[in-house]
């Protein structure tokens, strides 16, 4: 680090080597270059990466970068999904090859529709886990020319409430039909 003529501090990177001069005396040759801007850019990149990871860590959703051919490039998995979607098993894999065929078909269809859609292409599906039915909602959005982002959310509570409401409605209609028949 040195102070330049304008009073600002600059960072130098130096490379030195020892040599023997023509008179047999040792000499040092030092090459230096100003690396201030590259160090500032690297620090800004680290800060940006920290903010990005912090934002992702606060989200309850699975977020993945996937090539349009299905290759998983990056995967953020919150703890609630860790057993269902182990990131280390999915990164570098072709998603349609490692998920159930019915869900893979939905994914492939969503990716095919993503460029023609004004917003995210959304689909829902159910999965069985430890004798419990879980419901998921996937949103697919374009992310560059050859990638999509997939945002996967747990919608089990919402779906269970909807199913319970439908069952209650069916029971009510059956009860009303029975009352009409009795009347």
């Amino acid at each position: 680090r040195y102070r330049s003529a304008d009073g600002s501090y600059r960072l130098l990177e130096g490379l030195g080597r020892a040599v023997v001069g023509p008179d047999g005396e040792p000499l040092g040759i030092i090459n230096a270059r100003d690396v201030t801007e590259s160090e500032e850019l690297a620090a800004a990149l680290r800060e940006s990466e920290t903010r990005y990871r912090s934002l992702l860590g606060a989200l309850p959703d699975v977020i993945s970068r996937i090539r349009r051919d299905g290759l998983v490039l990056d995967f953020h998995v919150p703890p609630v999904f860790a057993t269902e979607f182990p990131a280390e098993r999915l990164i570098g894999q072709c998603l349609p090859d490692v998920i159930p065929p019915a869900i893979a078909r939905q994914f492939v269809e969503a990716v095919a529709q993503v460029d023609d859609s004004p917003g995210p292409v959304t689909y829902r599906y159910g999965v069985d886990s430890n004798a419990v039915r879980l419901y998921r909602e996937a949103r697919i959005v374009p992310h560059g020319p050859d990638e999509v982002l997939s945002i996967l959310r747990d919608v089990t509570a919402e779906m269970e409430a909807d199913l319970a409401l439908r069952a209650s409605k069916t029971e009510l209609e059956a009860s009303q039909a029975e009352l009409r028949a009795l009347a």
Side-chain angles (χ1 to χ4, degrees), residues 110-134:
V111 170
Q113 297 170 13
V114 78
D115 288 328
D116 299 328
S117 177
V121 177
T122 303
Y123 61 93
R124 288 186 172 188
Y125 62 90
V127 292
D128 294 317
S129 176
N130 298 327
V132 176
R133 186 75 170 168
L134 303 173

Side-chain angles (χ1 to χ4, degrees), residues 135-152:
Y135 296 93
R136 305 295 188 226
E137 178 182 84
R139 293 172 175 252
I140 308 295
V141 295
H143 186 67
D146 193 38
E147 294 180 14
V148 296
L149 284 180
S150 171
I151 300 130
L152 187 67

Side-chain angles (χ1 to χ4, degrees), residues 46-79:
R46 283 190 300 274
E47 182 181 326
S48 176
E49 177 76 13
T50 300
R51 280 194 316 268
Y52 166 75
R53 292 289 169 200
S54 178
L55 281 171
L56 276 181
L59 295 175
D61 303 332
V62 174
I63 300 173
S64 48
R65 255 180 62 232
I66 305 171
R67 259 191 357 213
R68 289 177 187 245
D69 64 2
L71 183 73
V72 178
L73 302 171
D74 197 7
F75 220 77
H76 162 72
V77 183

